[in-house]
Amino acid sequence: MTIAESNEELVERVPFETYTEGNVDAIDELVSEEHVLHDPMSSEPIRGREGLKDHVESLREAAPDLSGTSRRRSST
C-alpha cells in the first residue's frame, strides 16, 4: 500500500468509524492528540482526542440515526 492509499484509508476511516458507527475508541488509534477540528457550528475549535470524542458523542446523541457511507466499504 502506498502512502497516498494509506492516507486515503485513514481519511475515510475516521468519520465512518466514529460518526457513523459511533466507535469513539477508534479516535485513540486514528487521531493525533494535537488534532484540531474547526467546526463552523462550534464557537471554539475542538482540540485533541478527548475533545473529538465529546464532539462525536454529542452529535450522535442529538442525531442517533446519523449515518454516512464509505467508498472503500461500499465498493467491497
Side-chain angles (χ1 to χ4, degrees):
M1 177 180 294
T2 67
I3 292 174
E5 290 169 334
S6 178
N7 288 344
E8 182 179 332
E9 180 180 333
L10 180 63
V11 167
E12 288 188 2
R13 280 184 66 195
V14 171
F16 186 79
E17 290 186 25
T18 59
Y19 291 96
T20 300
E21 294 182 342
N23 181 9
V24 294
D25 291 333
I27 290 170
D28 291 327
E29 174 192 349
L30 302 172
V31 177
S32 166
E33 185 54 48
E34 289 79 32
H35 176 77
V36 178
L37 173 65
H38 298 279
D39 183 338
M41 295 186 60
S42 178
S43 61
E44 295 290 323
I46 297 154
R47 299 182 182 278
R49 292 181 184 130
E50 293 305 314
L52 184 57
K53 287 178 186 180
D54 292 343
H55 176 72
V56 169
E57 288 171 342
S58 61
L59 278 178
R60 289 187 51 82
E61 184 177 316
D65 58 347
L66 181 69
S67 67
T69 59
S70 169
R71 288 181 295 140
R72 188 172 302 280
R73 293 186 197 291
S74 63
S75 65
T76 57

